[in-house]
Amino acid sequence: MRSTKRAAAAALLTVSALAVAGCAAGGGSGSGGDAASCEPAGEDVTLTFTSWIPGIEDAVAMWNEENPDIQVEVQTGPSGNAGTYQNFFNQLEAGNAPDLGQIEYDALPNFRVQDGLVDLGACEDVLAAEDQFLDWTWGQVTLGTEDEVYGIPQDQGPMALFYRSDLFEQNGIEVPTTWEEYREAAVQVREAGGYITNFSDSDINQFAGFVWQAGGQWFENDGDAWTVNLTGEESTTVADYWQDLIENDLVSTYPAWTDEWNNAYNSGEVWTWNSAVWGANSILSGAPDTSGNWSVALAPQWNAGDQKAGNWGGSSIAVFNGTDHLYEAAKFALWLNTSEEALTSLNETAQIYPATTAGLELPVLKEGVEFYGGQPIYDVFAEAATQVDPNFTWGPTMTQTYGDVSDGFKAAAQGNGTLLEALEEGQAATISTLEAQSIPVAE
Amino acid sequence: MTTTTTMTAVNPTASRRRKGGGQDAVGRGPREGVIPRTAAFLVMGVFTLYFLTPIWWLLIASTKDRGDLFSTNPLWFADFRFFENVGALVAYRDGVYLRWLLNSLLYAGVGAVVATLLASMCGYALAKYRFPGRETLFNVVLGGVLVPATALALPLFLLFSQVQLTNTFWAVFLPSIVSPFGVYLSRVFAEASVPDELLEASRLDGAGEVRTFFTVSIRLMFPALVTVFLFQFVSIWNNFFLPLIMLRSEELFPVTYGLYAWNSTINQFPELRTFVLVGSLLSIVPLIITFLLLQRYWRTGLGTGALK
């Protein structure tokens, strides 16, 4: 079992040359670490912590000031999928991984499956902290197990509806509260010369957020084997819904995060965006000319009267196998993600939206936001955060899955094939990826 | 300042040469038709435009603030805010960008000098000394030209991990001072430009081999050395994968990696966009300066090689 996992890890390491994997397997790896005990070291400790959040040094500096016996050294790099995750895997293989690292929720299962993470459930403080976090964020780090914890939740991305209140009002269109109304509004918006939203063919995470809201489950793990279900009933409903909007030219299909995309929002061509809490910052900087014209409402529902929200993004702080200081690492990770001073600092420097219930009540998150016409928009997101389904699980090969699905989505946005076909292809490709990495798949 | 002086120093030579070439063409070569000539200029023009447009865009983009970036013509100026942008970039996080720029200069500058020295010594030895296994050695080095640096980055990481040198200056510096292509070029050049007679004369005068190399041969090989330096400087400056794999501490980053790291988080932190744009523009300035300073030597080098 262990050797197959190592082989899988080695296979993952092949960035460019297959021959390399041979060398990699020979390198010294960290100890198993599953039964690590959570005891204080009893001496001064220096921890290494890798994160790509700009300005996280400020929060860490506060910690270092107050805890001379547990010093934390910040290391940095590009965002997870842009290289830092690969670096983590390389470091795990070489036996010099940092003590702590930033890992987004959708990547946690991958590290877990590759045996890269320490179970923090050994630390009493960690288990006791569960109540401080929103249920669903805690669910993201336990990976569906009991008393096993593979990271401390840091931030979250509950989804809501950003909309141009001025345009909706001028054209006498009601702000939709259900997806059915959303489609009706889309027709009216089209008649008024705009698009109700942009369907992003590259952000599968957004689509996953829609499926999450609809109650779909892409992955399940029974402790051993993985079930893959990208084409379940809810996913199909969501895919068909957006397929219909695309086919009837009711949504634009600019590639997300590009200049055209920013411009579409800035020029008022596109009227709404179903996005996560951090999207507030994206609109603000991408569409500065529309200042004061935006508002935020809870996401449209599948059934009138439902109270469900999806989630897009969010990350955790995990402890890597090979650390000698589990106790101290856990203590720091808890402080970073629960203490008011750290959360305030993270929110100031990087708009990190906390994963704790207390964090959602930070004074800075209660203020009105000028760009949104003075609306205290974070109240909406705080409400959405409590409506996220706690049972959504990510698979262990998400990068691969995103890539596979996104190819099909791009084609569908151009009118070749459908979103559902893309999901079907993603389903097949994901299962073969899992099998290729010797990860058991349940049929 | 230095740039302009070099430009003027170089230009006369260039124009003289061009004139000479033109006379040759009229005198001896086949007469050029008007249509092929126009076609050639058209093709060149199109490609020049193709290559210069992104740089022009970058130049324009770095003069705008975030709002104008999306709402105004991407290929023409709006509110000119270049100096404010540079100021903000330099001030951001205590000038971490300047630190990256200096790091790049250190990795690329010192790295290229050492690489050039090693490569020239090696190439010279392969050209001028006979010893068993010489050709085998040369072929092995030549094989090194075929291995892309990217493919070596991961094995290097595992190797450096063993000796605990990852995330240090040396992790990026040491692999940079190896230049198989430089060895190849030096050997070819040394064979062509350093006469055996001169070496014998030097030996007769009582100079040791090392002294001969440094006082006599290295001067004859100078144009080749400049070429090797330039190639190595550019490739270290642009090397990105090795630092990505090796470095974790921001204060060690070269500018390419630092900008990449920022760029990768633009979705989440859009305010970094301006910094990435201005930073990219500034990061090519040292490359341009190096090229301008060295192009005189470089051109002579290529020319000499071609005549032999």
Side-chain angles (χ1 to χ4, degrees), chain B residues 166-223:
Chain B
T166 53
N167 196 25
T168 62
F169 168 79
W170 303 107
V172 173
F173 183 78
L174 288 180
S176 303
I177 61 176
V178 180
S179 167
F181 178 71
V183 173
Y184 164 75
L185 205 70
S186 301
R187 176 181 180 169
V188 173
F189 205 86
E191 256 165 11
S193 66
V194 185
D196 288 339
E197 296 80 1
L198 206 63
L199 296 186
E200 275 160 28
S202 165
R203 279 175 198 141
L204 284 176
D205 284 344
E209 296 303 319
V210 175
R211 190 168 164 188
T212 307
F213 175 75
F214 280 106
T215 52
V216 179
S217 315
I218 210 167
R219 286 174 198 207
L220 295 168
M221 289 168 69
F222 195 68

Short mmCIF file of all heavy atoms in Angstrom, two decimals, chain B residues 166-223:
data_model
loop_
_atom_site.label_atom_id
_atom_site.label_comp_id
_atom_site.label_asym_id
_atom_site.label_seq_id
_atom_site.Cartn_x
_atom_site.Cartn_y
_atom_site.Cartn_z
N THR B 166 18.92 24.03 -0.83
CA THR B 166 17.74 24.65 -1.45
C THR B 166 17.40 25.92 -0.68
O THR B 166 17.76 26.06 0.50
CB THR B 166 16.52 23.72 -1.39
OG1 THR B 166 16.33 23.32 -0.04
CG2 THR B 166 16.71 22.51 -2.26
N ASN B 167 16.71 26.80 -1.38
CA ASN B 167 16.35 28.09 -0.80
C ASN B 167 17.56 28.87 -0.31
O ASN B 167 17.53 29.51 0.73
CB ASN B 167 15.34 27.90 0.34
CG ASN B 167 14.65 29.21 0.70
OD1 ASN B 167 14.55 30.11 -0.12
ND2 ASN B 167 14.22 29.33 1.94
N THR B 168 18.67 28.78 -1.06
CA THR B 168 19.82 29.64 -0.78
C THR B 168 20.23 30.30 -2.10
O THR B 168 19.80 29.89 -3.17
CB THR B 168 21.03 28.85 -0.27
OG1 THR B 168 21.42 27.93 -1.30
CG2 THR B 168 20.73 28.10 1.00
N PHE B 169 21.07 31.29 -1.98
CA PHE B 169 21.63 31.94 -3.16
C PHE B 169 22.29 30.91 -4.09
O PHE B 169 22.15 30.96 -5.30
CB PHE B 169 22.65 32.98 -2.68
CG PHE B 169 23.51 33.55 -3.77
CD1 PHE B 169 23.02 34.54 -4.60
CD2 PHE B 169 24.81 33.09 -3.97
CE1 PHE B 169 23.81 35.07 -5.61
CE2 PHE B 169 25.60 33.61 -4.98
CZ PHE B 169 25.11 34.60 -5.80
N TRP B 170 22.99 29.97 -3.48
CA TRP B 170 23.76 29.00 -4.27
C TRP B 170 22.88 28.10 -5.12
O TRP B 170 23.31 27.61 -6.16
CB TRP B 170 24.64 28.14 -3.33
CG TRP B 170 25.54 29.00 -2.52
CD1 TRP B 170 25.43 29.29 -1.20
CD2 TRP B 170 26.66 29.73 -3.00
NE1 TRP B 170 26.42 30.16 -0.82
CE2 TRP B 170 27.19 30.44 -1.90
CE3 TRP B 170 27.28 29.86 -4.25
CZ2 TRP B 170 28.31 31.27 -2.02
CZ3 TRP B 170 28.39 30.69 -4.37
CH2 TRP B 170 28.89 31.37 -3.26
N ALA B 171 21.66 27.87 -4.67
CA ALA B 171 20.77 26.97 -5.40
C ALA B 171 20.50 27.48 -6.81
O ALA B 171 20.29 26.70 -7.73
CB ALA B 171 19.46 26.81 -4.64
N VAL B 172 20.49 28.79 -6.97
CA VAL B 172 20.25 29.35 -8.29
C VAL B 172 21.58 29.68 -8.97
O VAL B 172 21.73 29.55 -10.18
CB VAL B 172 19.35 30.60 -8.20
CG1 VAL B 172 19.24 31.29 -9.54
CG2 VAL B 172 17.97 30.20 -7.71
N PHE B 173 22.54 30.11 -8.15
CA PHE B 173 23.81 30.57 -8.72
C PHE B 173 24.62 29.41 -9.31
O PHE B 173 25.07 29.49 -10.47
CB PHE B 173 24.61 31.29 -7.64
CG PHE B 173 25.90 31.86 -8.15
CD1 PHE B 173 25.91 33.04 -8.87
CD2 PHE B 173 27.10 31.22 -7.90
CE1 PHE B 173 27.10 33.58 -9.34
CE2 PHE B 173 28.29 31.74 -8.37
CZ PHE B 173 28.29 32.93 -9.10
N LEU B 174 24.82 28.36 -8.55
CA LEU B 174 25.71 27.28 -9.00
C LEU B 174 25.28 26.67 -10.35
O LEU B 174 26.11 26.55 -11.25
CB LEU B 174 25.82 26.20 -7.92
CG LEU B 174 26.64 26.59 -6.69
CD1 LEU B 174 26.70 25.45 -5.68
CD2 LEU B 174 28.05 27.02 -7.08
N PRO B 175 24.00 26.31 -10.52
CA PRO B 175 23.62 25.75 -11.83
C PRO B 175 23.76 26.77 -12.96
O PRO B 175 23.86 26.39 -14.13
CB PRO B 175 22.14 25.38 -11.65
CG PRO B 175 21.96 25.25 -10.18
CD PRO B 175 22.88 26.25 -9.56
N SER B 176 23.80 28.07 -12.63
CA SER B 176 23.86 29.08 -13.68
C SER B 176 25.25 29.24 -14.27
O SER B 176 25.40 29.82 -15.33
CB SER B 176 23.44 30.45 -13.13
OG SER B 176 22.18 30.38 -12.57
N ILE B 177 26.26 28.80 -13.56
CA ILE B 177 27.61 29.05 -14.05
C ILE B 177 28.08 27.96 -15.00
O ILE B 177 29.25 27.94 -15.40
CB ILE B 177 28.62 29.22 -12.88
CG1 ILE B 177 28.68 27.95 -12.05
CG2 ILE B 177 28.26 30.41 -12.03
CD1 ILE B 177 29.71 28.02 -10.95
N VAL B 178 27.19 27.08 -15.36
CA VAL B 178 27.54 26.02 -16.32
C VAL B 178 26.97 26.40 -17.68
O VAL B 178 25.79 26.68 -17.79
CB VAL B 178 26.94 24.68 -15.87
CG1 VAL B 178 27.30 23.59 -16.85
CG2 VAL B 178 27.44 24.34 -14.48
N SER B 179 27.83 26.39 -18.69
CA SER B 179 27.35 26.75 -20.02
C SER B 179 27.97 25.86 -21.09
O SER B 179 29.03 26.18 -21.64
CB SER B 179 27.68 28.23 -20.30
OG SER B 179 27.48 28.49 -21.66
N PRO B 180 27.35 24.75 -21.38
CA PRO B 180 27.90 23.84 -22.39
C PRO B 180 28.04 24.52 -23.75
O PRO B 180 29.03 24.34 -24.44
CB PRO B 180 26.85 22.72 -22.48
CG PRO B 180 25.95 22.89 -21.34
CD PRO B 180 26.09 24.27 -20.83
N PHE B 181 27.07 25.35 -24.07
CA PHE B 181 27.13 26.06 -25.35
C PHE B 181 28.34 26.99 -25.38
O PHE B 181 29.02 27.12 -26.40
CB PHE B 181 25.84 26.85 -25.57
CG PHE B 181 25.84 27.63 -26.84
CD1 PHE B 181 25.75 26.98 -28.07
CD2 PHE B 181 25.97 29.01 -26.83
CE1 PHE B 181 25.77 27.70 -29.25
CE2 PHE B 181 25.99 29.73 -28.01
CZ PHE B 181 25.89 29.08 -29.21
N GLY B 182 28.62 27.60 -24.23
CA GLY B 182 29.78 28.48 -24.12
C GLY B 182 31.08 27.71 -24.36
O GLY B 182 32.00 28.20 -25.02
N VAL B 183 31.16 26.51 -23.84
CA VAL B 183 32.35 25.68 -24.04
C VAL B 183 32.52 25.39 -25.53
O VAL B 183 33.60 25.53 -26.10
CB VAL B 183 32.23 24.35 -23.26
CG1 VAL B 183 33.38 23.42 -23.61
CG2 VAL B 183 32.18 24.62 -21.78
N TYR B 184 31.42 25.03 -26.15
CA TYR B 184 31.45 24.73 -27.58
C TYR B 184 31.93 25.93 -28.38
O TYR B 184 32.84 25.84 -29.19
CB TYR B 184 30.04 24.30 -28.02
CG TYR B 184 29.82 24.33 -29.50
CD1 TYR B 184 30.36 23.33 -30.32
CD2 TYR B 184 29.10 25.36 -30.10
CE1 TYR B 184 30.18 23.36 -31.68
CE2 TYR B 184 28.91 25.39 -31.46
CZ TYR B 184 29.45 24.39 -32.25
OH TYR B 184 29.27 24.44 -33.60
N LEU B 185 31.32 27.08 -28.10
CA LEU B 185 31.67 28.29 -28.83
C LEU B 185 33.13 28.66 -28.59
O LEU B 185 33.87 29.02 -29.52
CB LEU B 185 30.75 29.42 -28.38
CG LEU B 185 30.54 30.54 -29.38
CD1 LEU B 185 29.72 30.03 -30.54
CD2 LEU B 185 29.83 31.71 -28.70
N SER B 186 33.56 28.55 -27.33
CA SER B 186 34.95 28.91 -26.99
C SER B 186 35.93 28.00 -27.71
O SER B 186 36.97 28.44 -28.17
CB SER B 186 35.17 28.82 -25.49
OG SER B 186 34.29 29.66 -24.83
N ARG B 187 35.59 26.73 -27.79
CA ARG B 187 36.52 25.82 -28.44
C ARG B 187 36.66 26.18 -29.92
O ARG B 187 37.78 26.30 -30.43
CB ARG B 187 36.02 24.38 -28.33
CG ARG B 187 36.94 23.46 -29.09
CD ARG B 187 36.55 22.02 -29.08
NE ARG B 187 37.57 21.30 -29.87
CZ ARG B 187 37.68 20.01 -29.92
NH1 ARG B 187 36.87 19.26 -29.22
NH2 ARG B 187 38.61 19.45 -30.65
N VAL B 188 35.54 26.35 -30.58
CA VAL B 188 35.57 26.70 -31.99
C VAL B 188 36.36 27.98 -32.20
O VAL B 188 37.22 28.08 -33.08
CB VAL B 188 34.14 26.86 -32.53
CG1 VAL B 188 34.15 27.39 -33.96
CG2 VAL B 188 33.40 25.55 -32.46
N PHE B 189 36.09 28.94 -31.34
CA PHE B 189 36.72 30.24 -31.51
C PHE B 189 38.21 30.19 -31.20
O PHE B 189 39.03 30.80 -31.89
CB PHE B 189 36.03 31.27 -30.62
CG PHE B 189 36.18 32.66 -31.13
CD1 PHE B 189 35.30 33.15 -32.08
CD2 PHE B 189 37.22 33.48 -30.70
CE1 PHE B 189 35.44 34.44 -32.57
CE2 PHE B 189 37.36 34.76 -31.20
CZ PHE B 189 36.47 35.25 -32.14
N ALA B 190 38.56 29.46 -30.14
CA ALA B 190 39.97 29.36 -29.77
C ALA B 190 40.76 28.68 -30.88
O ALA B 190 41.88 29.07 -31.21
CB ALA B 190 40.11 28.58 -28.46
N GLU B 191 40.17 27.66 -31.48
CA GLU B 191 40.85 26.97 -32.57
C GLU B 191 41.13 27.92 -33.72
O GLU B 191 42.19 27.88 -34.35
CB GLU B 191 39.97 25.81 -33.08
CG GLU B 191 40.47 24.47 -32.59
CD GLU B 191 39.45 23.37 -32.77
OE1 GLU B 191 38.43 23.59 -33.45
OE2 GLU B 191 39.67 22.30 -32.20
N ALA B 192 40.18 28.80 -33.98
CA ALA B 192 40.29 29.68 -35.14
C ALA B 192 41.15 30.90 -34.86
O ALA B 192 41.85 31.38 -35.74
CB ALA B 192 38.89 30.12 -35.57
N SER B 193 41.12 31.40 -33.62
CA SER B 193 41.71 32.72 -33.43
C SER B 193 43.00 32.72 -32.60
O SER B 193 43.67 33.74 -32.52
CB SER B 193 40.69 33.65 -32.78
OG SER B 193 40.40 33.19 -31.49
N VAL B 194 43.30 31.62 -31.94
CA VAL B 194 44.54 31.61 -31.15
C VAL B 194 45.56 30.71 -31.86
O VAL B 194 45.44 29.49 -31.83
CB VAL B 194 44.28 31.07 -29.71
CG1 VAL B 194 45.54 31.17 -28.89
CG2 VAL B 194 43.14 31.83 -29.07
N PRO B 195 46.55 31.30 -32.54
CA PRO B 195 47.52 30.50 -33.29
C PRO B 195 48.44 29.73 -32.35
O PRO B 195 48.86 30.27 -31.32
CB PRO B 195 48.30 31.53 -34.09
CG PRO B 195 47.69 32.85 -33.81
CD PRO B 195 46.82 32.74 -32.63
N ASP B 196 48.77 28.50 -32.71
CA ASP B 196 49.70 27.69 -31.91
C ASP B 196 51.06 28.37 -31.79
O ASP B 196 51.71 28.30 -30.75
CB ASP B 196 49.87 26.30 -32.55
CG ASP B 196 48.62 25.45 -32.36
OD1 ASP B 196 47.84 25.76 -31.44
OD2 ASP B 196 48.43 24.51 -33.15
N GLU B 197 51.47 29.05 -32.87
CA GLU B 197 52.78 29.72 -32.87
C GLU B 197 52.88 30.72 -31.73
O GLU B 197 53.92 30.84 -31.09
CB GLU B 197 53.02 30.44 -34.20
CG GLU B 197 53.09 29.53 -35.42
CD GLU B 197 51.73 29.11 -35.93
OE1 GLU B 197 50.70 29.55 -35.36
OE2 GLU B 197 51.67 28.32 -36.89
N LEU B 198 51.80 31.43 -31.52
CA LEU B 198 51.78 32.45 -30.49
C LEU B 198 51.97 31.82 -29.11
O LEU B 198 52.70 32.34 -28.25
CB LEU B 198 50.44 33.19 -30.54
CG LEU B 198 50.44 34.62 -30.00
CD1 LEU B 198 51.37 35.48 -30.84
CD2 LEU B 198 49.03 35.18 -30.04
N LEU B 199 51.31 30.67 -28.91
CA LEU B 199 51.44 29.97 -27.64
C LEU B 199 52.89 29.51 -27.43
O LEU B 199 53.45 29.64 -26.34
CB LEU B 199 50.51 28.76 -27.59
CG LEU B 199 49.01 29.08 -27.65
CD1 LEU B 199 48.20 27.81 -27.43
CD2 LEU B 199 48.64 30.11 -26.60
N GLU B 200 53.47 28.98 -28.54
CA GLU B 200 54.88 28.54 -28.43
C GLU B 200 55.78 29.70 -28.09
O GLU B 200 56.65 29.60 -27.23
CB GLU B 200 55.31 27.89 -29.75
CG GLU B 200 54.93 26.42 -29.81
CD GLU B 200 54.89 25.91 -31.24
OE1 GLU B 200 55.63 26.44 -32.09
OE2 GLU B 200 54.10 24.98 -31.49
N ALA B 201 55.55 30.83 -28.75
CA ALA B 201 56.36 32.02 -28.48
C ALA B 201 56.23 32.41 -27.01
O ALA B 201 57.21 32.72 -26.34
CB ALA B 201 55.89 33.16 -29.37
N SER B 202 55.01 32.36 -26.54
CA SER B 202 54.77 32.73 -25.15
C SER B 202 55.49 31.78 -24.20
O SER B 202 56.08 32.21 -23.21
CB SER B 202 53.26 32.71 -24.91
OG SER B 202 52.99 32.72 -23.53
N ARG B 203 55.45 30.49 -24.53
CA ARG B 203 56.14 29.52 -23.69
C ARG B 203 57.64 29.76 -23.71
O ARG B 203 58.31 29.69 -22.68
CB ARG B 203 55.84 28.10 -24.18
CG ARG B 203 54.50 27.59 -23.69
CD ARG B 203 54.15 26.24 -24.26
NE ARG B 203 52.71 26.02 -24.12
CZ ARG B 203 51.96 25.43 -25.04
NH1 ARG B 203 52.51 24.97 -26.16
NH2 ARG B 203 50.68 25.27 -24.85
N LEU B 204 58.17 30.08 -24.89
CA LEU B 204 59.60 30.33 -25.02
C LEU B 204 60.01 31.53 -24.17
O LEU B 204 61.09 31.57 -23.59
CB LEU B 204 59.98 30.60 -26.48
CG LEU B 204 60.05 29.36 -27.36
CD1 LEU B 204 60.33 29.75 -28.80
CD2 LEU B 204 61.10 28.39 -26.83
N ASP B 205 59.11 32.50 -24.08
CA ASP B 205 59.39 33.68 -23.27
C ASP B 205 59.27 33.40 -21.79
O ASP B 205 59.49 34.28 -20.96
CB ASP B 205 58.42 34.82 -23.63
CG ASP B 205 58.81 35.45 -24.95
OD1 ASP B 205 59.96 35.22 -25.37
OD2 ASP B 205 57.98 36.16 -25.54
N GLY B 206 58.88 32.17 -21.46
CA GLY B 206 58.89 31.77 -20.06
C GLY B 206 57.56 31.93 -19.34
O GLY B 206 57.50 31.81 -18.11
N ALA B 207 56.51 32.20 -20.07
CA ALA B 207 55.22 32.32 -19.39
C ALA B 207 54.64 30.93 -19.13
O ALA B 207 54.75 30.03 -19.97
CB ALA B 207 54.26 33.11 -20.26
N GLY B 208 54.00 30.77 -17.98
CA GLY B 208 53.33 29.51 -17.68
C GLY B 208 52.02 29.43 -18.47
O GLY B 208 51.60 30.40 -19.09
N GLU B 209 51.38 28.26 -18.41
CA GLU B 209 50.15 28.07 -19.19
C GLU B 209 49.04 29.00 -18.72
O GLU B 209 48.30 29.55 -19.52
CB GLU B 209 49.68 26.61 -19.07
CG GLU B 209 50.63 25.60 -19.66
CD GLU B 209 50.93 25.86 -21.13
OE1 GLU B 209 49.99 26.21 -21.86
OE2 GLU B 209 52.10 25.74 -21.54
N VAL B 210 48.95 29.16 -17.42
CA VAL B 210 47.88 30.00 -16.87
C VAL B 210 48.10 31.44 -17.31
O VAL B 210 47.18 32.12 -17.77
CB VAL B 210 47.86 29.90 -15.33
CG1 VAL B 210 46.84 30.88 -14.75
CG2 VAL B 210 47.54 28.47 -14.91
N ARG B 211 49.36 31.86 -17.20
CA ARG B 211 49.66 33.24 -17.57
C ARG B 211 49.41 33.45 -19.07
O ARG B 211 48.87 34.49 -19.47
CB ARG B 211 51.11 33.54 -17.22
CG ARG B 211 51.38 34.99 -17.36
CD ARG B 211 52.68 35.39 -16.77
NE ARG B 211 53.00 36.72 -17.29
CZ ARG B 211 54.15 37.31 -17.10
NH1 ARG B 211 55.10 36.69 -16.41
NH2 ARG B 211 54.37 38.51 -17.59
N THR B 212 49.81 32.49 -19.86
CA THR B 212 49.57 32.60 -21.29
C THR B 212 48.09 32.77 -21.58
O THR B 212 47.68 33.62 -22.36
CB THR B 212 50.06 31.32 -22.00
OG1 THR B 212 51.40 31.08 -21.62
CG2 THR B 212 49.95 31.47 -23.50
N PHE B 213 47.29 31.95 -20.87
CA PHE B 213 45.84 32.03 -21.11
C PHE B 213 45.31 33.42 -20.78
O PHE B 213 44.60 34.03 -21.56
CB PHE B 213 45.11 30.97 -20.29
CG PHE B 213 43.62 31.06 -20.40
CD1 PHE B 213 42.97 30.64 -21.55
CD2 PHE B 213 42.86 31.59 -19.36
CE1 PHE B 213 41.59 30.75 -21.67
CE2 PHE B 213 41.49 31.71 -19.47
CZ PHE B 213 40.85 31.27 -20.62
N PHE B 214 45.70 33.90 -19.60
CA PHE B 214 45.08 35.15 -19.15
C PHE B 214 45.63 36.39 -19.82
O PHE B 214 44.95 37.40 -19.91
CB PHE B 214 45.19 35.28 -17.62
CG PHE B 214 44.14 34.48 -16.91
CD1 PHE B 214 44.47 33.31 -16.26
CD2 PHE B 214 42.82 34.89 -16.92
CE1 PHE B 214 43.50 32.55 -15.62
CE2 PHE B 214 41.85 34.14 -16.28
CZ PHE B 214 42.18 32.97 -15.64
N THR B 215 46.90 36.34 -20.29
CA THR B 215 47.44 37.56 -20.88
C THR B 215 47.38 37.54 -22.41
O THR B 215 47.23 38.58 -23.03
CB THR B 215 48.90 37.77 -20.45
OG1 THR B 215 49.63 36.57 -20.72
CG2 THR B 215 49.00 38.12 -18.99
N VAL B 216 47.51 36.36 -23.00
CA VAL B 216 47.54 36.31 -24.47
C VAL B 216 46.22 35.81 -25.04
O VAL B 216 45.50 36.53 -25.73
CB VAL B 216 48.71 35.42 -24.95
CG1 VAL B 216 48.72 35.36 -26.47
CG2 VAL B 216 50.01 35.93 -24.41
N SER B 217 45.88 34.58 -24.70
CA SER B 217 44.77 33.91 -25.39
C SER B 217 43.44 34.59 -25.13
O SER B 217 42.63 34.77 -26.03
CB SER B 217 44.69 32.45 -24.93
OG SER B 217 45.96 31.88 -24.93
N ILE B 218 43.22 35.00 -23.90
CA ILE B 218 41.91 35.52 -23.54
C ILE B 218 41.59 36.78 -24.35
O ILE B 218 40.45 37.05 -24.68
CB ILE B 218 41.82 35.75 -22.01
CG1 ILE B 218 40.37 35.57 -21.55
CG2 ILE B 218 42.33 37.13 -21.65
CD1 ILE B 218 40.24 35.48 -20.05
N ARG B 219 42.64 37.52 -24.69
CA ARG B 219 42.41 38.74 -25.47
C ARG B 219 41.98 38.39 -26.89
O ARG B 219 41.12 39.03 -27.47
CB ARG B 219 43.68 39.57 -25.52
CG ARG B 219 43.89 40.21 -24.19
CD ARG B 219 45.16 40.94 -24.07
NE ARG B 219 45.42 41.11 -22.65
CZ ARG B 219 46.12 42.09 -22.15
NH1 ARG B 219 46.69 42.96 -22.95
NH2 ARG B 219 46.30 42.18 -20.86
N LEU B 220 42.62 37.36 -27.42
CA LEU B 220 42.25 36.96 -28.78
C LEU B 220 40.83 36.39 -28.82
O LEU B 220 40.14 36.47 -29.82
CB LEU B 220 43.25 35.92 -29.29
CG LEU B 220 44.66 36.46 -29.46
CD1 LEU B 220 45.65 35.32 -29.69
CD2 LEU B 220 44.71 37.45 -30.62
N MET B 221 40.46 35.82 -27.72
CA MET B 221 39.13 35.18 -27.68
C MET B 221 38.03 36.15 -27.26
O MET B 221 36.86 35.77 -27.11
CB MET B 221 39.14 34.00 -26.71
CG MET B 221 39.93 32.80 -27.18
SD MET B 221 40.16 31.62 -25.83
CE MET B 221 38.50 31.04 -25.59
N PHE B 222 38.39 37.40 -27.06
CA PHE B 222 37.46 38.33 -26.43
C PHE B 222 36.06 38.39 -27.07
O PHE B 222 35.05 38.32 -26.36
CB PHE B 222 38.08 39.73 -26.34
CG PHE B 222 37.34 40.63 -25.40
CD1 PHE B 222 37.35 40.38 -24.03
CD2 PHE B 222 36.58 41.69 -25.87
CE1 PHE B 222 36.65 41.19 -23.16
CE2 PHE B 222 35.88 42.50 -25.00
CZ PHE B 222 35.92 42.25 -23.65
N PRO B 223 36.01 38.52 -28.40
CA PRO B 223 34.66 38.59 -29.00
C PRO B 223 33.80 37.37 -28.66
O PRO B 223 32.62 37.51 -28.38
CB PRO B 223 34.94 38.64 -30.50
CG PRO B 223 36.32 39.15 -30.61
CD PRO B 223 37.06 38.65 -29.41
#
